[in-house]
Amino acid sequence: MFYSKITANENATPWPNDEIALRHFIAEHSEALAHSATLLAGRTGARIVSDIIDGLSGDRPLTRRLRLRLFELRGILALEHAHDDVQGDADHCAFLDPEDPVIDEICLLTDQYGDALAAAGLADPRGMRAPA
């Protein structure tokens, strides 16, 4: 069998290991994130997850816009705007039954997503706000 030597592209962007873990988490859980965001915020949630997946495709670095989208998704999953008439997530949340098993799954996914953001250095693990 023929093997060729693999050389790194001098233009390639090296990602920190923590960012690789975040990218891997989102790739592994993209369907669950999309379903949860759509369930909790409708088309807005679906659009945010789509933007995140598009932003993470290829070897591009995390842009400011992508970081904002990552935190918008965190806000949706954590129901930070569930009672905010301006953001409008309340309409979607009103149809959820608190006893539905999907709620436990969304909570677990939210915790794991928050851990992935914190591990990537994008959030303070205690308050889940972007570091200054």
Side-chain angles (χ1 to χ4, degrees), residues 101-116:
V102 77
I103 300 301
D104 291 334
E105 293 177 28
I106 291 173
C107 290
L108 178 61
L109 181 67
T110 302
D111 290 344
Q112 292 173 338
Y113 180 66
D115 291 344

Side-chain angles (χ1 to χ4, degrees), residues 17-78:
N17 286 338
D18 302 341
E19 186 179 321
I20 292 172
L22 174 65
R23 289 172 182 266
H24 179 74
F25 176 83
I26 291 175
E28 288 291 312
H29 297 89
S30 61
E31 189 173 323
L33 289 167
H35 179 70
S36 298
T38 303
L39 186 65
L40 297 172
R43 282 190 232 160
T44 301
R47 191 175 321 112
I48 289 170
V49 173
S50 178
D51 288 349
I52 289 170
I53 292 169
D54 289 345
L56 292 176
S57 66
D59 62 351
R60 298 175 288 201
L62 296 180
T63 63
R64 183 175 186 278
R65 182 177 189 278
L66 179 56
R67 290 171 194 250
L68 290 173
R69 288 306 227 185
L70 289 166
F71 279 96
E72 287 174 331
L73 177 58
R74 175 65 170 91
I76 289 170
L77 295 175

